Amino acid sequence: MIQEILQSNQFIMLMALLLIISIIVTKFSSRLGVPSLVLFIAVGMIVGSDGLGFIYFDNPEIAQLVGVIALIVILFEGGMLTKWKDIRPVVVPAITLATAGVVLTTMIVAIAAKFILHIGWIEAMLVGAIVGSTDAAAVFAVLKGKNVRGKLEATLEAESGTNDPMAVFLTITFIQLLTINEMNVFSLIGSFFWQMGAGVAVGAAIGYLASQSLNRINLDSSGLYPLFALGFAFLSYSSSSLLQASGLLAVYVTAVFIGNAELAYRYSILRFHEGFGWMAQILMFIILGLFVSPVEVFTWPVMFDGLLIALVLIFIARPIATYLSLVGFSFNIKEKMFLSWAGLRGAVPIVLAIFPMLAGLENSPLIFNVVFFTVLTSALVQGASITWMAERFKLVSDKVGNPIHSLELISIGKANVEMIEFDVIEQNVVVGQKLENMELPDRALINAIIRDGDVITPYGQTEIKAGDTLYILVARKNKKEVRKLLEAVREEKNEHEKSRA
């Protein structure tokens, strides 16, 4: 009995240390120019059986399950931060990249894999399908805070949020072709359209239900609302999957619906899922690091083959797929080059590389190891240079939008009011206005202004300046009106930004 308790305590201690080390690692990832996912995987490999030997893990079923659950959380968090007004103009090119682009990438990589790995054509197509999609977790993490021009950031986020279903569909299709003697081509085509269409429909329906429920159901504690929202994410995935549709696509659509709705506890929900999203990334990449065997991956044959496939993927397949998919759309050469370079691979290909193992394919260990090294190469080469390329091509835009945060200081059961936090920028119409001249709704009051680190008690003659942080107490029914007033920017700035885009 004592021995079991000691072992469990040691395990808890190890988990605590892994969590703390992984969070500290994120601090250094930007300084080192290395995506955090690479460092998380490194942590897993170091404590794994081929490293320090603290944890032995080789269960593909658990690795795949953890990966899928983590992807649901990450996609949900990324979707809630996606603004529909930003992605609406680029929905068509993003979906084209997410479908035709994945197919083209799959075909080109398959040709290389056939001759590099000396495998059959269907197995080569399987390798191409596994690495064919960009990774939402990697893209969301790398682009966060980089201030890449809005159209490009929206295109990459929409593509990475919607191309996983295509990669999953192609991967499962080629596995079935390898394991089932007879396959009906027409049923495969019908299955694809059903998965995409039903996934969008289920996601939209549950997203609408979730946004209505979050606003209309009064819970006893504000801390329950983030969990309530998370429940809808898992409901969206499971409902869609039970209907044989794309669960990941449904999760992303649900998240976009929720994120673009007027939510009572938006700030609490977003902050919770930001932290939970990081937790999911840490857990997923450490598990994948534990699952991989460095002794098998970091051998000269695997590294050489993986490097060749990565070079084909980065410098041939992705550029060709990007350029052909965006024919007829309003992207210039530099923007297409950036979209091509920013097609990061991450957790999704590694999780998909576990599928052949679960299916018992003969070459599944080779496929997993090569895909793993290919993903590491993509993350290191592309992920570390995205910011440099955006700045080099002058694709970094000035900040023209303001994050509006709602600080839920008063329980929903006691009063229908919220505290809005708003950062004023130079382009806002309210700059230079005196508080007595602002046309705020009757039940809205500016309670405090933070200026240069000092708290200013506002009165009628107080003038708003760029860089101020306003704290406004507002009735929930008037929140939209106040938000519209605060977000208004000067017309000449709008025209200037449009001409630059």
Side-chain angles (χ1 to χ4, degrees):
M1 179 68 178
I2 300 297
Q3 184 65 30
E4 284 78 4
I5 294 176
L6 289 174
Q7 289 178 351
S8 63
N9 290 339
Q10 291 171 356
F11 181 76
I12 292 172
M13 172 67 77
L14 180 60
M15 292 299 100
L17 291 175
L18 285 177
L19 180 60
I20 292 171
I21 292 170
S22 299
I23 292 174
I24 293 175
V25 156
T26 63
K27 180 70 176 177
F28 296 100
S29 64
S30 58
R31 294 184 181 180
L32 296 173
V34 178
S36 55
L37 68 92
V38 176
L39 300 179
F40 295 153
I41 289 175
V43 171
M45 290 191 293
I46 289 171
V47 301
S49 55
D50 290 342
L52 298 177
F54 290 154
I55 301 176
Y56 178 77
F57 178 76
D58 66 346
N59 191 314
E61 288 85 1
I62 294 179
Q64 188 255 359
L65 177 61
V66 171
V68 170
I69 292 175
L71 285 174
I72 292 172
V73 175
I74 294 165
L75 268 177
F76 190 65
E77 192 254 341
M80 284 196 297
L81 295 176
T82 301
K83 294 181 174 61
W84 173 246
K85 67 178 182 180
D86 292 336
I87 68 170
R88 183 170 54 189
V90 298
V91 163
V92 177
I95 292 178
T96 305
L97 279 172
T99 52
V102 173
V103 173
L104 289 169
T105 303
T106 297
M107 294 172 62
I108 296 171
V109 172
I111 295 173
K114 163 67 179 173
F115 298 102
I116 293 172
L117 302 179
H118 306 290
I119 55 179
W121 277 110
I122 298 180
E123 287 180 312
M125 293 295 288
L126 175 60
V127 173
I130 289 173
V131 299
S133 71
T134 59
D135 183 66
V139 171
F140 290 151
V142 170
L143 291 180
K144 187 176 292 185
K146 296 297 186 294
N147 212 28
V148 175
R149 189 174 296 176
K151 180 174 72 170
L152 299 178
E153 184 173 2
T155 302
L156 286 169
E157 289 183 352
E159 178 202 4
S160 63
T162 56
N163 67 3
D164 293 342
M166 173 61 82
V168 172
F169 170 77
L170 291 175
T171 299
I172 293 175
T173 297
F174 291 126
I175 289 176
Q176 289 177 338
L177 289 174
L178 289 168
T179 55
I180 300 176
N181 293 328
E182 296 184 3
M183 289 292 295
N184 190 322
V185 176
F186 294 104
S187 67
L188 290 176
I189 296 174
S191 174
F192 168 74
F193 284 105
W194 168 256
Q195 286 191 39
M196 301 300 111
V200 171
V202 170
I206 294 182
Y208 176 79
L209 174 64
S211 58
Q212 294 296 313
S213 301
L214 287 166
N215 281 326
R216 299 192 179 195
I217 298 178
N218 292 338
L219 301 176
D220 294 335
S221 171
S222 61
L224 294 174
Y225 285 89
L227 296 175
F228 197 29
L230 184 62
F232 285 106
F234 287 105
L235 176 64
S236 181
Y237 178 86
S238 57
S239 300
S240 185
S241 298
L242 290 174
L243 294 173
Q244 302 298 314
S246 174
L248 294 177
L249 180 59
V251 169
Y252 185 72
V253 173
T254 295
V256 172
F257 259 81
I258 295 175
N260 287 272
E262 285 292 333
L263 298 180
Y265 273 73
R266 171 181 295 274
Y267 186 74
S268 295
I269 292 172
L270 293 181
R271 292 288 73 79
F272 170 86
H273 283 95
E274 181 182 16
F276 199 52
W278 274 109
M279 173 70 88
Q281 285 193 57
I282 291 170
L283 176 62
M284 174 174 61
F285 289 122
I286 288 180
I287 288 292
L288 293 177
L290 289 170
F291 181 73
V292 71
S293 175
V295 174
E296 296 179 5
V297 172
F298 297 107
T299 60
W300 287 114
V302 171
M303 289 193 296
F304 183 72
D305 293 344
L307 180 61
L308 289 179
I309 292 177
L311 293 175
V312 171
L313 174 65
I314 296 171
F315 294 103
I316 300 176
R318 173 68 181 181
I320 291 176
T322 301
Y323 277 75
L324 292 180
S325 299
L326 296 179
V327 170
F329 296 108
S330 58
F331 292 93
N332 59 40
I333 295 297
K334 289 184 178 180
E335 290 172 338
K336 289 179 180 178
M337 290 179 66
F338 179 77
L339 290 172
S340 170
W341 191 255
L344 289 175
R345 269 60 187 175
V348 172
I350 299 176
V351 173
L352 290 180
I354 299 175
F355 284 28
M357 290 185 172
L358 298 176
L361 297 185
E362 181 181 356
N363 288 320
S364 59
L366 171 65
I367 292 173
F368 179 85
N369 292 331
V370 169
V371 167
F372 187 87
F373 192 82
T374 300
V375 169
L376 283 184
T377 304
S378 169
L380 286 170
V381 174
Q382 294 172 281
S385 55
I386 282 181
T387 303
W388 175 85
M389 179 166 281
E391 294 173 350
R392 180 85 172 176
F393 288 164
K394 296 181 172 30
L395 299 176
V396 178
S397 60
D398 297 329
K399 183 178 179 182
V400 295
N402 315 65
I404 296 185
H405 298 151
S406 297
L407 308 182
E408 294 86 14
L409 304 179
I410 302 176
S411 174
I412 219 171
K414 298 179 180 178
N416 290 318
V417 295
E418 295 181 14
M419 183 74 78
I420 293 177
E421 175 189 350
F422 179 74
D423 296 323
V424 181
I425 60 174
E426 185 67 38
Q427 295 77 31
N428 287 127
V429 173
V430 296
V431 172
Q433 289 189 19
K434 294 181 179 179
L435 298 188
E436 62 185 8
N437 297 328
M438 289 185 65
E439 299 180 356
L440 289 171
D442 292 337
R443 297 188 63 188
L445 179 65
I446 298 179
N447 291 76
I449 299 176
I450 306 297
R451 179 177 298 164
D452 299 326
D454 296 325
V455 180
I456 296 176
T457 303
Y459 62 98
Q461 294 295 315
T462 301
E463 183 178 305
I464 296 176
K465 297 182 179 180
D468 287 352
T469 300
L470 310 181
Y471 289 90
I472 307 167
L473 190 67
V474 59
R476 190 170 300 121
K477 66 178 182 179
N478 296 328
K479 181 180 174 182
K480 189 173 184 180
E481 183 180 351
V482 173
R483 182 173 181 170
K484 183 178 180 181
L485 172 67
L486 295 174
E487 288 183 325
V489 296
R490 304 183 192 281
E491 288 298 322
E492 59 268 21
K493 183 64 180 179
N494 279 334
E495 294 301 322
H496 175 62
E497 288 299 326
K498 289 178 182 177
S499 65
R500 286 183 59 186

